[in-house]
Amino acid sequence: MPPPTRPLPSRRRTLLQLGLAAAVVIVTVVVGTSFAASRLAEREAVTDAAHTTNLLALAVVQPALEDALLTGDAAAYAAFDRVVRARVLPNGIVRVKLWTPDGTVVYADESRLVGQRFPLGDEQRETLAKPTTRAEVSALDRSENEFERYGGKLLEVYRPVWTPSGSELLFEVYGDYEPVSARAFDLWRGLAGVLTSSLLLLLVLLAPLIWRLLDRLGAAQAQRESLLRRAVDASAGERRRIAADLHDGPVQDLVASSLVVSGAAEAARADGRPALSANIAEAGSTVRASIASLRSLLVDLYPSRLADAGLAAAVSDLARPLAGRGIHVDVSVDEDEAARLGEAAQQVAHRVVREGLRNVVRHADARHVTIRLGRGGVDDRDHDVGQDFGQDFEQDLGQDVDRVFDDVFDGDDHGDHDPARPVVLVLHDDGVGFDPAAVLPGPEGHFGIRVLADVATDVGAVLRVRSAPGRGTTWLLALPVEEDR
């Protein structure tokens, strides 16, 4: 059996979902481009800092170096300091250091560092061993960085330089990180602008296509509903024809046969053949039982009382036989609300009542059944029409019948006359109940209930079953009114 078909979403809901999805994508793009721009700007800044440091080392620092700087000569230090402050620091550099291979600072624009000795890191020693330029974003977590920890991250670049006599020194500079932030913002603005505008343009181009698709889906849905209505009408006509054929043919023949058999039994008894009379009478009982079964089948195929006298009378007819079994059935049908239902919805309500009462007789061991149909206190739009029926079973009933009805039906003081509010049918028994999770879900579940669920879905209704061991069973059917269809 194919799964129930979900109704199509409204245009407004579809466009709202599309807009929300576009907003999520745009936010994701903005965040993603921000991260990408930051990484790209940082990489470019590190490359530029390495290039600038190479130029400064070769064109400014190394020509200004003197061997006397290594011995702490004040004049050599002063001369080199003037060069650094005039030609190096103005290039976005915030700190300059010169190191000997043993980790001694022989020059720094921060004089408190001069003469101090710090252990060189592995990368710094490798730079001296294999002359190269290294650039990175410094975390400023080493001991020699105590005077640089005032403005966040810095760009650190170091490379070897040589004095006129060939002594190797490590030239280290720290550049300002602020240009990286500015560059990242520029990149982010460009990338985010291009991507966002592209997405918005795509959305604008897709909107007419989505609108046309919704038009086609709506037309297909309308055609499907029209075909369904025709199928229901054809099915009703076919049921009427079959019921008429059965009534006018086999039922009448069996009635005549019953009369003949009864006469034969009476004749045999009059002839003094009681055994034969008893056998013929038993056959007559079997024929009459078959007639009763066929007439019950006729009511199932075409409930004439539903067509002639309305839903209230048909429900009362279904409930009446239970009195002979000691089961009291209380029926309350709001005829004004029943009149709001279309023929297909009334047939579904009739079938649900019939199936519910059959289960009461066969399984429930109940003494009291209450059937009520009226204006619902819950809107069918709150239900997920057409979802898997197994998900609609509720195991925790835990309330008496009055509470069930209070929860489902409007009170007199609500004053709610929404024409779209569904008509709700509730059938409650005080029987033994059952565990829906154990009985209903899965391919081996109650077939009759699953068929009813699919039939209800076909007319836009929602069927639910609530039960628990020892707490009875409640059927709830929310039916769409005729104006909604």
Side-chain angles (χ1 to χ4, degrees):
M1 180 179 296
T5 304
R6 290 179 179 269
L8 290 175
S10 65
R11 294 175 184 269
R12 181 178 179 182
R13 181 180 178 183
T14 301
L15 294 177
L16 180 60
Q17 290 176 339
L18 182 62
L20 290 176
V24 170
V25 171
I26 289 174
V27 170
T28 303
V29 167
V30 169
V31 173
T33 53
S34 176
F35 177 77
S38 177
R39 297 295 300 272
L40 181 60
E42 190 172 275
R43 187 179 301 115
E44 290 184 354
V46 167
T47 302
D48 291 345
H51 182 66
T52 300
T53 301
N54 274 332
L55 292 178
L56 291 173
L58 296 174
V60 178
V61 173
Q62 190 159 304
L65 284 176
E66 297 180 15
D67 290 313
L69 187 63
L70 301 180
T71 61
D73 181 78
Y77 184 94
F80 187 76
D81 185 62
R82 286 193 297 270
V83 172
V84 168
R85 296 185 184 278
R87 301 176 62 184
V88 176
L89 293 179
N91 294 284
I93 306 299
V94 298
R95 180 73 68 241
V96 176
K97 300 175 188 176
L98 280 176
W99 304 71
T100 60
D102 63 359
T104 301
V105 179
V106 296
Y107 172 81
D109 63 299
E110 171 54 62
S111 59
R112 289 173 291 182
L113 290 172
V114 177
Q116 295 192 46
R117 186 173 179 178
F118 303 97
L120 294 178
D122 293 339
E123 293 182 348
Q124 293 170 317
R125 288 195 296 269
E126 185 178 354
T127 298
L128 292 173
K130 299 178 180 179
T132 186
T133 301
R134 290 182 179 270
E136 60 187 15
V137 178
S138 176
L140 304 176
D141 55 356
R142 297 192 295 271
S143 55
E144 72 268 15
N145 298 128
E146 60 177 313
F147 300 113
E148 287 91 49
R149 300 172 187 149
Y150 56 83
K153 296 184 290 185
L154 294 175
L155 296 174
E156 180 183 7
V157 187
Y158 42 89
R159 59 151 292 160
V161 292
W162 293 265
T163 65
S165 63
S167 298
E168 189 176 39
L169 298 174
L170 183 68
F171 174 54
E172 182 180 35
V173 299
Y174 290 86
D176 190 5
Y177 193 81
E178 182 61 30
V180 177
S181 301
R183 177 60 176 161
F185 177 76
D186 291 339
L187 289 173
W188 170 82
R189 184 172 56 185
L191 290 174
V194 171
L195 292 176
T196 301
S197 59
S198 300
L199 287 173
L200 291 176
L201 179 60
L202 178 62
L203 186 62
V204 170
L205 293 176
L206 286 178
L209 298 178
I210 294 174
W211 193 267
R212 291 182 60 188
L213 178 61
L214 288 175
D215 282 340
R216 293 185 179 182
L217 289 176
Q221 179 74 2
Q223 184 180 15
R224 177 184 177 277
E225 292 178 354
S226 176
L227 292 174
L228 178 62
R229 285 192 292 271
R230 292 180 184 178
V232 170
D233 294 340
S235 175
E238 186 66 14
R239 286 199 303 271
R240 285 193 294 269
R241 186 188 66 78
I242 294 174
D245 290 345
L246 285 175
H247 180 272
D248 296 339
V251 172
Q252 299 302 325
D253 293 343
L254 285 174
V255 169
S257 299
S258 174
L259 295 175
V260 172
V261 170
S262 296
E266 184 64 26
R269 186 182 63 80
D271 290 343
R273 293 183 289 178
L276 178 60
S277 176
N279 290 334
I280 295 176
E282 184 178 354
S285 297
T286 302
V287 172
R288 285 190 292 273
S290 298
I291 293 172
S293 298
L294 278 176
R295 284 176 172 168
S296 177
L297 179 61
L298 290 179
V299 173
D300 288 346
L301 284 174
Y302 181 63
S304 58
R305 291 280 286 172
L306 178 60
D308 299 337
L311 184 59
V315 170
S316 297
D317 288 347
L318 291 174
R320 189 173 297 114
L322 273 70
R325 299 175 179 268
I327 303 173
H328 175 70
V329 182
D330 179 17
V331 178
S332 174
V333 176
D334 186 331
E335 296 190 7
D336 291 337
E337 293 301 313
R340 299 170 63 216
L341 300 174
E343 181 181 353
Q346 290 193 23
Q347 290 174 356
V348 170
H350 185 270
R351 290 187 63 175
V352 168
V353 172
R354 185 178 65 205
E355 180 70 19
L357 293 179
R358 282 178 177 174
N359 287 337
V360 168
V361 172
R362 295 172 182 172
H363 311 296
D365 193 22
R367 289 294 173 264
H368 188 273
V369 179
T370 303
I371 303 172
R372 183 172 177 183
L373 183 141
R375 180 184 293 269
V378 289
D379 196 323
D380 64 342
R381 289 168 293 188
D382 294 335
H383 299 289
D384 189 7
V385 178
Q387 72 179 33
D388 183 6
F389 184 63
Q391 298 176 4
D392 273 337
F393 299 136
E394 301 190 16
Q395 303 175 32
D396 187 12
L397 182 59
Q399 53 187 355
D400 58 25
V401 65
D402 293 332
R403 288 283 305 280
V404 171
F405 292 150
D406 288 342
D407 289 344
V408 174
F409 293 100
D410 279 335
D412 295 336
D413 57 345
H414 279 68
D416 186 1
H417 300 289
D418 181 5
R421 189 171 295 278
V423 174
V424 176
L425 169 70
V426 176
L427 188 153
H428 175 82
D429 69 68
D430 61 355
V432 296
F434 63 94
D435 182 5
V439 175
L440 295 168
E444 301 300 327
H446 196 296
F447 181 75
I449 298 180
R450 293 188 174 278
V451 170
L452 283 181
D454 290 342
V455 170
T457 300
D458 285 342
V459 300
V462 175
L463 176 64
R464 292 188 176 185
V465 174
R466 296 179 179 176
S467 188
R471 296 181 179 178
T473 301
T474 301
W475 299 65
L476 299 100
L477 178 67
L479 294 154
V481 298
E482 192 171 23
E483 292 83 357
D484 288 340
R485 299 204 57 79

